[in-house]
């Protein structure tokens, strides 16, 4: 039985297979419409979510399966003090596969160790968000045509941004990926991620002005400053509008630079940018459904001919 806890749980070869399957699902959705008939997905969300939870549910419904779960800790027995380990043991009796989001780093790993069914990490604190990474990789590969030989700017909250940490770790396995890390000093990428970049021999630079570097990027990955991860409101208010991508900055970018964002956005991308054909964050959310369908099929070992 396999779980997905970290974006590195799949080899590059397995990942390519998964992305190919997602592309086939995009082209031939009817072929997969009954692939999970009789199967159930449990969504165990201890933290708020729109995209991840609903795209998982949409994915399972598209595959002909069913969904059950909870969308906040207070509506589960966690509110009475039940542990993650006990919860997943119980959910193993009710469902065939589970997707879990939890505010504590490592919670999904604890669940996987105590589970009788495949567990998918749908975000654990500021740590990892592997299915967002699968979404990002599918978006980049589908719209840019490659995952190697790219210069990617990651902008915003790089300290608490789990999507950023997961994406960097995943892209380090591809050739000639250069990282431009754009953040205020207080929200720089954690040291362990920088160590990973150095160990992989990848090029990187850390800067604090988007306009100085936007012209060199093939991809710009914007992120929100996450209010819920701050210990004090003053720091959040001081840093929340550090970067705002607007039409003026987009004029400095390459004609084929793509703008991604895991969403939700707050102020960091002006709505005037949404009409720019280089803004692909809503398409990215759609790719999230295809890749989660592919992931469910892969972990449940369902073959569709
Ligand atoms: N990208 C993402 O994780 O969005 P949600 O928090 O809405 O799931």
């Amino acid at each position: 039985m396999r779980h997905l806890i970290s974006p590195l749980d799949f080899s590059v070869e397995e990942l390519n297979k998964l992305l190919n399957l997602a592309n086939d699902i995009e082209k031939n959705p009817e072929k997969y419409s009954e692939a999970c008939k009789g199967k159930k997905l449990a969504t165990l969300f201890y933290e708020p979510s729109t995209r991840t939870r609903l795209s998982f549910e949409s994915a399972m419904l598209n595959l002909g399966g069913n969904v059950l779960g909870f969308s906040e800790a207070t509506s589960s027995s966690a509110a009475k003090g039940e542990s993650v380990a006990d919860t997943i043991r119980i959910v193993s009796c009710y469902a065939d596969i589970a997707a879990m989001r939890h505010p504590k780093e490592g919670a999904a790993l604890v669940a996987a160790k105590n589970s009788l069914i495949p567990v998918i990490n749908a975000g654990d604190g500021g740590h990892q968000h592997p299915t967002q990474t699968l979404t990002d990789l599918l978006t980049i590969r589908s719209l840019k045509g490659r995952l190697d030989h790219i210069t990617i700017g990651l902008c915003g909250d790089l300290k608490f941004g789990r999507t950023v940490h997961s994406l960097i770790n995943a892209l380090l396995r591809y050739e000639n990926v250069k990282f431009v890390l754009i953040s205020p000093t207080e929200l720089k990428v954690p040291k362990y991620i920088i160590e990973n970049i150095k160990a992989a021999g990848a090029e990187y630079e850390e800067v604090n002005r988007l306009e100085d570097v936007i012209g060199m990027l093939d991809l710009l990955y914007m992120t929100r400053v996450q209010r819920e991860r701050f210990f004090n409101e003053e720091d959040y208010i001081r840093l929340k509008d550090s970067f705002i991508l607007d039409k003026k900055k987009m004029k400095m970018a390459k004609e084929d630079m793509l703008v991604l964002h895991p969403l939700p956005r707050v102020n960091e991308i002006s709505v005037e940018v949404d009409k720019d054909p280089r803004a692909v964050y809503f398409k990215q959310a759609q790719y999230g459904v295809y890749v989660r369908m592919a992931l469910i099929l892969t972990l449940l070992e369902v073959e569709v001919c």
Side-chain angles (χ1 to χ4, degrees), residues 6 35 41 45 50 90 96 98 110 115 144-145 162 182 185 189 199 208 210 212 220 244-245 250 272 275 298 304:
S6 148
L41 164 77
F45 276 62
T50 296
I90 299 305
D96 301 284
V110 171
S115 181
K144 203 77 194 163
R162 59 192 173 198
I182 310 150
T185 309
V189 168
N208 52 28
L210 175 57
D212 291 347
L220 173 58
I244 297 179
L245 182 66
M250 286 300 285
E272 68 190 16
K275 287 199 191 86
T298 303
V304 178

Side-chain angles (χ1 to χ4, degrees), residues 45 48-53 101 122 129 132 162-163 262-264:
F45 276 62
S49 166
T50 296
R51 273 144 297 276
T52 311
R53 186 170 67 83
R101 171 170 291 186
H129 193 345
Q132 181 63 49
R162 59 192 173 198
T163 60
L263 304 176

Side-chain angles (χ1 to χ4, degrees), residues 1-4 10 36 38-44 56 59-60 63 65-69 88 91-100 115-121 131 292-302:
M1 187 176 58
R2 288 192 76 169
H3 307 283
L4 179 70
F10 287 120
C36 284
K39 305 269 187 204
K40 291 185 227 92
L41 164 77
T43 49
L44 314 176
F56 262 118
M60 192 48 148
L63 293 167
N66 288 300
V67 294
L68 66 160
I88 196 68
V91 171
S92 299
C93 307
Y94 306 153
D96 301 284
I97 186 165
M100 173 185 280
S115 181
L116 304 177
I117 57 174
V119 172
I120 300 166
N121 180 4
T131 63
R292 288 182 175 99
M293 288 170 75
L295 179 64
I296 291 168
L297 291 173
T298 303
L299 294 181
L300 288 178
E301 299 179 356
V302 175

Side-chain angles (χ1 to χ4, degrees), residues 157 159-160 183-189 230 235 238-239 242:
D157 176 0
K159 179 179 179 182
F160 299 113
S183 73
T185 309
E186 295 89 334
L187 297 177
K188 278 166 78 165
V189 168
F230 275 79
D235 284 350
R238 186 168 50 82
L239 295 170
S242 299

